Amino acid sequence: MQPLDHIRDYFGEKIGIYFAWLGFYAWMLLPAAIMGLVCVIYGLVRLESYIPVKDICDTSKNFPMCPRCDKRCPYWSLSDTCIYSKVAYVFDNEFTVVFAIFMSIWATMFLEFWKRRQAEIAYEWDLLGYEDEEEQPRPEYEAVAIETRLNPITKVEEPFISLGRKVPGFICSFSFIIFMLALVVIAVFAVVVYRVAVYAVLAASSDYNMGAVNMATSGTAALLNLITIMLLNKVYEKLAEILTRWEMPRTQTELEDIFSFKMYLFQFVNFYSSLFYIAFFKLSPGRPAEFNRIFGFRQEECNPAGCLFELLVQLAVIMVGKQIFNNFIEIIVP
């Protein structure tokens, strides 16, 4: 149990509710983790009897596969992807459908149970009945306001900034946001080009089997993508603070809401655009004589076992790497 009352007394209600949410989230993740573990165990138990994996790993059949690039790439054996196929099945098996249904229900229950818990905390801490209109304007807002208006709630004259004065800030903010989102897309495209080029070079060498080529390409690309994500995230965080001030929000709550929306929008695109590429665009590399190409290189293809393992590697590197980076920063820069 967390000492929420002590946290509230020392840091305030907002930080107290944040810690309450973290604790609640950690407890709610427990059944999801158990269900995920059951899914993995099911895959391990069924692995040896799963016919597609047995066929892929059967070296006696030696299924020859088409070259992965146009020049100097040899034919390769389907059994080269044996380990890749086994790992993919452990995480993507028949029980995954049950796990997906469970997570859909879990997400709904998590939201509803948190609403109940939040209402309990609000009642215990006497936070009910708070109106945003009652919040006082920020000092920075009052410093630049040259007009006044009658507050409809308090019936008191207060500083006011008209919409006309805010429009230039909105336009600048919107322009910078579009620019940063476009920069994220360009960064993802650059990583895609890196993946295609490295894959073509490694696939052309007879010293590597296709399973090792897939893992090497996915791992290095995921690491490169993580570095790009963290750098862009730090830059945008500072930029979002400046843009939010340009919009001249009236209250501290409005400022935090606008800043949170900007960070959510950017981080969603920044963290998940590479995952969308793997999940949706790599599935259609084209067909012989009509392959999709990027700067002359053939678009990389999913492994015969599917793209899920590559998606898993990308997600694990991003999430785990993000936590390691943030913890490192907290230790070095207190």
Side-chain angles (χ1 to χ4, degrees), residues 273-328:
S273 54
S274 59
L275 301 179
F276 272 87
Y277 164 74
I278 296 173
F280 298 105
F281 293 98
K282 281 192 66 176
L283 294 176
S284 302
R287 56 189 178 86
E290 295 183 5
F291 288 110
N292 298 331
R293 297 183 179 275
I294 301 176
F295 294 128
F297 292 102
R298 268 173 51 182
Q299 179 183 337
E300 58 176 336
E301 306 173 22
C302 288
N303 188 273
C307 284
L308 186 68
F309 179 73
E310 186 175 344
L311 198 64
L312 173 67
V313 171
Q314 182 76 41
L315 186 61
V317 170
I318 290 177
M319 296 305 172
V320 176
K322 175 187 174 184
Q323 293 300 322
I324 294 175
F325 178 81
N326 290 337
N327 291 337
F328 177 78

Side-chain angles (χ1 to χ4, degrees), residues 89-141:
Y89 179 74
V90 169
F91 294 98
D92 184 16
N93 49 66
E94 295 84 356
F95 197 83
T96 307
V97 178
V98 179
F99 179 71
I101 296 173
F102 171 82
M103 290 304 299
S104 300
I105 300 173
W106 176 89
T108 303
M109 294 181 64
F110 169 78
L111 182 60
E112 296 303 320
F113 284 148
W114 169 244
K115 289 180 181 179
R116 175 184 294 182
R117 177 58 178 154
Q118 187 179 29
E120 292 176 356
I121 295 175
Y123 177 78
E124 293 173 0
W125 291 356
D126 195 23
L127 301 177
L128 298 175
Y130 176 78
E131 298 290 344
D132 291 341
E133 289 80 0
E134 297 177 3
E135 188 174 359
Q136 296 298 315
R138 298 184 305 117
E140 295 87 349
Y141 180 88

Side-chain angles (χ1 to χ4, degrees), residues 22 62 128 143 179 235 316:
L22 282 181
N62 192 27
L128 298 175
F179 171 76
V235 172

